[in-house]
Structure formats: C-alpha cells, structure tokens
C-alpha cells in the first residue's frame, strides 16, 4: 500500500489549527491534524467543578485523576489552549493593523481591517460570539449574540471610570448566551478557565474539529509531538517527523502543504529545530527575523476591594468570569508612549482566596476583615502593547531538554524604556479608575508580566524583514505556512485569539482557492 | 461539500435570550441527541473535604505550638475557626512537602521556647518576622480553602447553575 500523502498537514489543534482543519476539510482537502497531546473528553476529563478542599494540598489539578493532557507546552491536548482560555473575542481595528502609520513606531500589518472584516464575520457566525454593539471606532462591532449583564461590581467601576471620561463596555466572548445545536447557552456555573464541560464556551475540538470529522476528510493524530518539518531538495515541505508522546517512537506524516499552528513560541521553536544546511538558523529564516520581534502582551494589575460591597452578602458572580471591559482610550489622547492599553477586570475566580494571606493582622478582627472583603474583592488588569526591540526574543536552549529530548524554548524579555513608560502609565490609570470607583487599593503589580505570546515569525511584505506574507505563507518555502500569534507584526492591546481564528479562516480559504487552481 | 454551520442572527433581543436560558432547569438537562450531550450536566452538592493524613512531620510539642498559633490567628468566634477546619494537619502536610517552609516554621517554633500568646504574635508581626508570615500564610490558606472556610465562613456561592445572570439590584447613588 502506498504511503498516505495528505493534502494538508497541520501541526497543532488550538484556535488556529482547529479552525484551519475544519475549513480545509469542508473545502474538500484531505487534512491531518498532528497534535502533541492526547484526546481529551471535555465533558468528563477536566476538574471544572471541583473546590480546593477536595484535595489535601488544596490545589485543584487541571485534569481529573488518571486523565493525561495539559502537562507540558508540547503536549497539551486536542483543542490546545482553547480548552482553558477565557474566550475574550475582540476584532482588531484599522489602528491595530496600521500601528506604525498611526503613531510612527513598530510595524504595520501587510493587510487592513477591510481584508479581515469578512473573516471575523464568518468566525462569529460559525462559533457564536456574545457582545454588545457599542459603535466604537477602535473596537469594531460584529455579529453578536446578546451580551451578559454586568455585575454590580462592574457597574460600580463603570460609574467611577465615567468620572475620568473612561468607558466601560460589555465584554465580548466566544461563549454562547443562547443554545445552538448541541451546545447550551452559558449557565454561569463558574470558572471558564477550568474547562467548560458543556461547551457553551468555544473550544476548537468540539466546535470545529468534531463536526468536521463528518466530512470524512479530517484525520486527527493526537499524542504526536512534532520535532521537525521535513523539506526536500526542491525546497518543498514534505511533512513532519514526530515522537509518540507515550512511547517516544518516531514517525512521519506526509503532506503536500504543511501548516505550523503550534502556538506562538512552540511554532518558532519547531522552525528553529527544523534547521538544515540550507536554513542553518531555522527553517524559513532567510530574513534572520525568526524569534525576533517577539511582542507578548504585558500586564501588571491592581487588586482592590470595592468599598460599596464590603460587608455585603455574597452573590454568585463567579460564572463567565469577567462581564465587562475598559477599551483603549489613550490611543487618541496626548501621551509620551506609542500604542495603548485596555483593561480586563473582575475576572477573579472566587475559589481562589490567596489574597486573604495579606489582609493585615490576626485574630477575630482579621477573620472579620477577610469575611467582609470577600464579596468586594476585584482584580483589575491592564494589558499593554509591546513594541518590537532587540532585547526581547525567543531562542532555543540546547542545554535544557524536555521529556522528549527536545531543546526548550527560552523567552528573553528585555523591558525597553517604552514598555516601562506604558507599564507605569497603565498602572497609574488603573489606580485612578479604581479610586474614582471608591476602591480600597490592596496590591499593585510592580513588574510587568507577559501573557498572550505574539510575534517572532512576523508577517510582512518584505522577505528581508519578515518570515511570512499576508497569507501566512513563508517567504522561503512556498508550501509551508505558519498560522498563530507568532505572525503578528504588531500586537494591539486586545486579546489576540479572535484575530488568530479570522487569520486561520482567511488562510484556509487562500489555500483552498490555490488548490482549486492547481497551484499547490 | 458541506456548508458552513448555520449562521446566527445578529440579535440583541434580551427578552428572547431570557426565554431560552430561562428554560434551563436546576439540574441543567438538555434534550439533545445521543453523542452530542454536552448540555446534560449536573452540579452535585459540594464534596466532602479530603482527609489529611495524621500529622507525622512535626513533633507532638511542635504540633501543640502550631495548634495554639493557628487558633490565635483564626479563632472560633460565632463561626468555626482554624481548628475546626483542620488547619494544623494541613500545615503539617504542606511542610512535609516543602523543605524551605518547614525550616522557617521549625526554627520559628524553636525560638518561641513554649506556647505563644497574643503578645508574642503581635511582637513577631511588628518585627515582620518571616516565621510569623509563614505561619499566617499557612493558616489563612488552610482555613479559607477548607470546606468550613470557603463555604460556611465566606459563603462562596459559585459553582451553581444560574438560569439567568441577575441584573444588579444595588440602587444608583
């Protein structure tokens, strides 16, 4: 029997991989998704509803006993990070795609909002995104299910922010607020980031890949940790080489087109590990930009107690986590930094009570103070946009190997003056908004923390300064694509996953059109 | 070739939304076909607290000191305190698995030379003693993650089905 050669091999099964798999399989392509982690049953395998006291050490493990998955960056599980994400779904605006044109720093994307709008539409119709039509230029509206009502605490912050001319809007999430097909609407039972066992929250496995299996065109190959993209003498990618997650045995999956969608840092690492005589510093790295231009979001955060709620009866406000958001307001104001920030807030998981350690004192008065503050506790996390600079990058650490014997990816974070100015300003604004909301400030993050990893294999029209083009196709290898946060040339301050999914849909369409024309 | 999933309407009609989510029963059973039973879902009552092994790390004298201090940090008032929530056994369990923490606690206990009282703890707190911080953290963690601490004392109300998310009823002011 001849060796199977798929039309498309996709490495990774998260927001990008799952979207690509479904769209390409529906277009008629023969698709194989190669995922490092195991198949996970969303309904039964996550500890969605556990409380800390059920475990002697009081730490709720991600998985139920004996269920593998989500134990390392290279072997999470089918669905990838969408299994445990918070589902925040913003469209980027024209300013986000044209940051350099807007404030003279960083990079522009080689595409515009108008290029992306139809794909945001498509994803929103397909997976269901809830939100309010706010009519904000910098946060384009979309095709939304009804938003979730704000919590009392959101309204208190909304009133406070309004005193400073700052808007608070309903959050937008890839979570159903109405039943659709087999998926119920959200019933607000708790911590979305512990896994949504009813799939009211989008995950790429249940929402994209499972229905796509019905096409008969999609093959899922879990438990396969990809270590190398194979390239032939004609500079064509021919497939991937992997290690079995359990046995460590090596295997290959062959395809006519290869797409890397392994999440930002792991995609960069895979390209670097796939080095060769032709590409000595990493596959598709003739520009020398692979690993550079790494621009994760950074946050700090303020914890506080809203005085209006101290001593009030507790309510069940944990479900769906955050219901509101502070959209960017500085981008059109006078400021001494480029770009901007937005604030995610009030997403605390009320099962986590670590803050009680730092309430002052001890004895009956301490106990009373903690109890009174429990319903009033609120976290406020501004997210800022980093500009690319030489001090922040991703590289492989060949001294440190993981359980698969593969070099670990190392993130080097050198905070620039620009980053630190923005960090201080967004922290100051956070305190101001909370104080205007009548908050007792409790703890302030002193150092920037990264989240939402982006950049490192950036998109651009100049092959000397970028790794992929506007269709996520590598400049160097025509049948090799990279689709995930790594291709972002600028990061916006907005959560990136919705844009990653829209890019995946756009790239899938591009590949399907080219296949139809016989170009692949 | 299959078509895309059914498009959804861009509706902002809250009444329609409430009608649908209002139909969710308390046990949250959804009438879907076999194989796609995502909605069939129950939230059982909170499970019992995991049993902790009998303390074996600290000596009996050390355990007596730890018990006294935990009781001073979170005493029983009109609600149960650290001892009812099993905090001393939790401290023993955690320290057995954390060498650095165990060293801080053990050295701190030895320096006390006997049972602590409120005045001793006040002095240690004022001096920002690492021992005081360690034992307070352990006591707070053990208590507020216990079933008594989280459910009875703090009255945590999450992890339950809400047919609809209630709008805020705090009057404007």
């Amino acid at each position: 029997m001849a060796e199977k050669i798929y039309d498309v091999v996709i490495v990774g099964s998260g927001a990008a991989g799952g979207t690509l798999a479904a769209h390409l399989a529906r277009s008629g392509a023969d698709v194989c998704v190669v995922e490092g982690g195991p198949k996970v049953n969303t309904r039964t395998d996550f500890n969605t509803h556990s409380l800390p006291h059920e475990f002697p050490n009081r730490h709720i493990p991600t998985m139920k006993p004996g269920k593998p998955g989500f134990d390392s960056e290279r072997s999470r599980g089918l669905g990838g990070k969408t299994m445990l994400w918070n589902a925040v779904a913003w469209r980027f605006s024209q300013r986000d795609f044209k940051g350099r044109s807007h404030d003279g720093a960083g990079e522009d994307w080689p595409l515009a909002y108008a290029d992306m709008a139809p794909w945001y539409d498509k994803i929103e119709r397909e997976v269901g995104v809830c939100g309010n039509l706010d009519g904000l230029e910098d946060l384009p509206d979309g095709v939304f299910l009804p938003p979730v009502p704000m919590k009392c605490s959101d309204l208190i912050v909304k009133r406070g922010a309004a005193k400073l001319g700052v808007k608070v809007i309903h959050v937008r999430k890839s979570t159903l607020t109405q039943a659709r097909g087999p998926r119920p609407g959200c019933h607000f039972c708790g911590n979305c980031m512990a896994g949504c066992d009813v799939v009211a929250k989008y995950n790429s496995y249940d929402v994209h890949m499972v229905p796509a299996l019905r096409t008969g065109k999609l093959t899922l190959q879990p438990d396969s940790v990809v270590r190398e993209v194979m390239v032939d003498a004609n500079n064509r990618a021919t497939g991937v080489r992997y290690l079995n997650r359990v046995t460590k045995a090596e295997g290959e999956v062959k395809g006519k087109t290869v797409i890397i969608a392994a999440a930002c840092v792991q995609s960069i690492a895979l390209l670097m590990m796939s080095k060769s005589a032709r590409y000595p510093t990493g596959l598709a790295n003739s520009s020398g930009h692979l690993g550079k231009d790494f621009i994760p979001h950074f946050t700090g955060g303020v914890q506080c107690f809203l005085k209006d709620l101290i001593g009030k009866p507790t309510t069940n406000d944990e479900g769906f986590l955050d219901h509101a958001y502070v959209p960017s307001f500085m981008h059109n104001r006078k400021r001494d930094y480029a770009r901007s920030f937005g604030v995610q807030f009030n997403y605390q998981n009320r099962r986590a009570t670590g803050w009680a350690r730092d309430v002052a004192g001890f004895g009956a008065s301490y106990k009373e103070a903690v109890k009174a503050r429990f319903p009033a506790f609120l976290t406020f996390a501004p997210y800022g946009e980093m500009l690319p600079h030489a001090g922040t990058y991703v590289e492989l650490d060949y001294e440190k190997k993981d359980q698969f014997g593969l070099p670990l990816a190392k993130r080097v974070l050198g905070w620039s003056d620009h980053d630190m100015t923005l960090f201080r300003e967004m922290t100051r604004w956070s305190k101001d908004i909370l104080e205007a909301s009548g908050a007792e400030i409790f703890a302030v993050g002193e150092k920037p923390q990264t989240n939402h990893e982006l950049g490192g294999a950036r998109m651009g029209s100049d092959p000397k300064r970028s790794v992929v083009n506007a269709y996520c196709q590598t400049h160097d290898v025509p049948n090799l694509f990279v689709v995930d946060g790594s291709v972002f040339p600028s990061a916006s301050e907005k959560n990136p996953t919705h844009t990653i999914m829209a890019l995946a849909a756009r790239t899938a369409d591009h590949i399907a059109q080219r296949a139809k024309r016989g170009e692949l | 070739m299959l078509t895309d999933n059914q498009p959804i309407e861009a509706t902002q009609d809250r009444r329609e939304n409430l009608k649908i989510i209002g139909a969710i029963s308390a046990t949250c059973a959804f009438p879907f076909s076999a194989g796609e039973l995502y909605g069939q879902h129950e939230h059982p009552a909170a499970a019992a607290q995991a049993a902790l092994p009998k303390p074996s790390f600290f000596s009996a004298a050390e355990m007596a000191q730890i018990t006294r201090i935990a009781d001073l940090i979170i005493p029983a008032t009109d609600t149960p305190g650290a001892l009812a929530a099993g905090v001393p056994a939790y401290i023993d369990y955690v320290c057995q698995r954390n060498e650095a923490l165990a060293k801080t606690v053990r050295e701190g206990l030895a320096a006390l030379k006997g049972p602590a009282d409120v005045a001793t703890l006040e002095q240690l707190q004022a001096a920002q003693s690492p021992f005081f911080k360690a034992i307070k953290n352990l006591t707070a963690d053990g208590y507020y993650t216990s079933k008594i601490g989280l459910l009875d004392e703090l009255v945590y109300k999450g992890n339950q089905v809400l047919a609809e998310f209630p709008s805020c009823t705090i009057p404007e002011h």
Side-chain angles (χ1 to χ4, degrees):
Chain A
M1 194 178 121
E3 191 181 22
K4 171 96 184 175
I5 298 179
Y6 292 95
D7 292 326
V8 184
V9 174
I10 302 170
V11 182
S13 66
T19 304
L20 284 157
H23 284 231
L24 284 165
R26 290 199 304 244
S27 82
D30 217 351
V31 179
C32 182
V33 170
V34 187
E35 161 61 45
K39 177 175 181 290
V40 170
N41 185 327
T42 320
R43 290 189 61 213
T44 55
D45 293 359
F46 292 107
N47 258 325
T48 308
H49 297 294
S50 292
L51 294 176
H53 70 251
E54 294 166 35
F55 308 92
N57 65 1
R58 309 292 167 81
H59 288 288
I60 304 172
T62 302
M63 311 302 295
K64 288 265 174 65
K67 300 292 182 183
F70 295 85
D71 53 357
S72 91
E73 281 196 292
R74 286 202 173 105
S75 62
R76 287 193 177 96
L78 280 171
K81 286 188 277 184
T82 61
M83 285 295 188
L84 303 173
W85 73 317
N86 187 21
V88 176
W90 312 117
R91 292 179 175 216
F92 280 15
S93 67
Q94 177 69 0
R95 173 183 70 87
D96 295 315
F97 291 113
K98 300 295 174 190
R100 185 171 187 86
S101 305
H102 185 264
D103 38 45
E107 296 292 321
D108 284 347
W109 291 53
L111 43 74
Y113 177 70
D115 298 317
M116 290 292 283
W119 302 105
Y120 285 125
D121 276 5
K122 193 175 179 69
I123 292 293
E124 286 157 10
R125 288 178 191 281
E126 206 169 86
V127 308
V129 171
C130 65
N132 190 45
L133 300 173
D134 293 298
L136 301 174
E137 188 192 0
D138 195 58
L139 197 64
D141 288 335
V143 185
F144 297 150
L145 294 163
V148 167
M150 289 193 195
K151 310 175 198 180
C152 284
S153 37
D154 295 329
L155 296 171
I156 291 168
V157 173
K158 187 177 180 182
R159 277 201 301 268
K163 293 179 197 163
L164 306 176
V166 173
K167 276 198 173 73
V168 170
I169 63 167
H170 288 274
V171 77
R172 301 172 187 175
K173 290 191 181 184
S174 289
T175 299
L176 299 183
T177 49
Q178 298 175 335
R180 266 187 86 200
R183 301 169 60 199
C186 176
H187 58 258
F188 309 101
C189 70
N191 177 7
C192 313
M193 289 193 279
C196 179
D197 54 357
V198 299
V199 199
K201 181 186 80 169
Y202 169 85
N203 74 67
S204 64
Y205 176 65
D206 293 288
V207 180
H208 265 137
M209 291 185 282
V210 169
L213 286 170
R214 281 188 230 116
T215 62
K217 300 298 251 176
L218 176 60
T219 303
L220 301 180
Q221 182 162 329
D223 295 313
S224 302
V225 177
V226 174
R227 59 168 304 167
E228 187 185 2
V229 177
M230 301 181 291
V231 182
D232 68 12
N234 299 319
N235 193 36
R236 304 276 302 178
T238 57
V240 298
R241 197 165 279 140
Y242 65 86
L243 300 170
N244 182 286
R245 182 181 68 85
V246 182
T247 65
K248 311 286 193 284
E250 196 167 280
E252 291 179 358
V253 180
K254 299 228 164 126
K256 296 174 193 160
T257 294
V258 174
I259 308 177
I260 302 177
C264 179
V265 169
Q266 290 310 314
S267 290
I268 297 166
L270 178 56
L271 286 168
M272 287 178 169
M273 288 191 291
S274 305
K275 62 188 179 184
S276 60
R278 182 175 185 143
Y279 298 106
T281 59
L283 182 57
N285 190 28
S286 68
S287 67
H289 272 259
L290 182 65
K292 294 182 183 168
D293 326 305
F294 182 53
I295 41 172
H297 284 162
F298 60 94
T299 181
V302 178
Q303 297 181 337
C304 71
F305 303 107
L306 294 177
K307 288 178 196 162
D308 282 352
L309 296 178
I310 292 177
K312 292 286 191 312
T314 56
T315 54
N316 180 0
D317 71 348
E318 182 186 53
F320 194 79
L321 298 179
D322 43 337
H323 297 203
Y325 179 71
V326 181
S328 166
F329 54 91
M330 284 305 292
H331 56 276
N332 281 335
R333 295 189 186 188
K334 192 175 174 326
R335 66 203 195 283
D336 53 3
Y337 50 90
R339 303 300 198 268
S340 188
F341 61 92
V343 187
Q344 292 190 73
F345 71 100
N346 214 355
Y347 55 84
Q348 61 285 331
N349 161 12
R350 296 224 182 268
R351 274 162 252 202
T353 50
W355 54 269
R357 289 174 162 201
D358 296 318
V359 172
F362 65 91
S365 61
Y366 164 77
K367 189 181 171 193
E368 193 54 43
V370 172
K371 183 178 169 68
R373 278 161 183 73
F374 180 66
F377 181 68
L378 181 137
T379 56
F380 202 80
Y383 276 73
E385 178 175 353
M386 192 186 278
L387 293 178
H389 61 95
T392 296
Y393 55 92
V394 174
E395 64 181 11
L396 289 184
D397 188 345
Y398 282 94
E399 303 295 307
K400 288 190 184 139
K401 305 274 172 78
D402 66 6
Q403 56 177 311
F404 305 104
L406 304 177
L408 286 173
K410 187 162 108 186
R411 297 129 167 107
V412 179
L413 300 168
W415 298 102
S416 70
D417 290 347
H418 171 270
D419 300 336
M420 291 310 295
T421 303
L422 175 48
F423 175 74
R424 280 190 298 272
E425 281 298 292
M426 69 188 201
T427 304
R428 185 181 64 78
W429 267 106
S430 299
K431 287 192 282 191
D432 288 353
I433 291 169
L434 292 174
E435 273 162 9
S437 311
E440 182 182 298
I441 305 283
F442 178 61
V444 179
E446 303 286 344
K447 284 186 191 153
Q449 307 283 334
T450 58
N451 195 353
H452 304 148
E453 294 180 326
L454 300 163
R458 79 179 175 198
M459 172 189 287
S461 34
D462 181 357
K464 292 195 182 64
R465 299 188 65 245
S466 57
V467 178
V468 301
N469 67 19
Y471 287 104
C472 300
Q473 178 186 25
T474 62
H475 292 302
D476 292 347
V477 182
N479 67 334
L480 176 66
F481 293 74
V482 182
V483 187
D484 55 30
S486 65
V487 305
F488 284 31
S490 67
S492 171
E493 75 291 339
K494 301 173 181 75
N495 306 49
T497 305
H498 197 41
T499 296
I500 292 171
M501 288 169 70
L503 265 184
R506 183 172 183 267
T507 301
D509 179 68
H510 173 76
I511 292 172
Q513 299 300 331
R514 287 184 52 180
K516 263 185 208 152
R517 294 196 299 265
E519 291 173 14
L520 285 175
Chain B
M1 185 172 141
L2 295 186
T3 55
D4 285 354
N5 291 349
Q6 203 75 10
I8 52 174
E9 296 304 318
T11 172
Q12 299 286 323
D13 186 341
R14 181 158 158 71
R15 275 171 309 172
E16 185 62 21
N17 185 25
L18 289 183
K19 205 166 71 193
I20 293 169
I21 60 181
I24 299 173
S25 75
T27 53
C28 218
F30 295 87
F32 292 118
S33 59
E36 291 188 314
L37 297 171
Y38 296 119
Q40 253 189 21
H41 182 65
E42 286 185 16
H43 291 263
Q49 182 157 315
L52 285 162
K54 196 170 177 300
S56 59
F57 180 70
F58 291 111
S59 70
E62 287 171 329
M63 278 312 286
Q65 286 178 300
I66 288 169
T67 302
R68 171 77 181 135
I69 294 170
D71 191 32
L72 288 172
I73 292 175
I74 303 182
T77 50
D78 53 346
T79 59
L83 302 193
V87 168
Y90 167 81
I91 294 177
D92 185 85
Y93 181 89
V94 171
C95 288
Q96 188 156 29
R97 289 156 180 79
N98 186 329
E99 211 175 311
L101 197 53
K103 184 169 184 287
T104 305
V105 171
R106 193 157 251 165
E107 289 175 2
L109 293 173
L112 286 180
K113 298 184 176 63
D117 56 18
V118 171
T120 325
L121 292 192
E122 275 172 354
Q123 281 167 16
L124 290 169
Q125 179 176 242
Q128 299 185 315
S129 136
F131 163 68
F132 178 78
K133 189 64 193 148
I135 200 120
K136 180 178 164 185
N137 287 354
L138 283 163
T139 305
D141 289 355
Y143 183 67
Y144 292 113
T145 59
S146 72
K147 195 172 181 186
I148 283 177
L150 185 62
L151 298 185
D152 300 345
E153 168 73 1
L154 297 179
V155 200
Y156 166 80
K157 283 189 172 166
N159 209 19
Q160 296 172 33
V161 174
L162 284 178
E164 68 176 274
F165 196 86
S167 294
C168 179
T169 51
I170 287 185
E172 287 290 323
H173 58 126

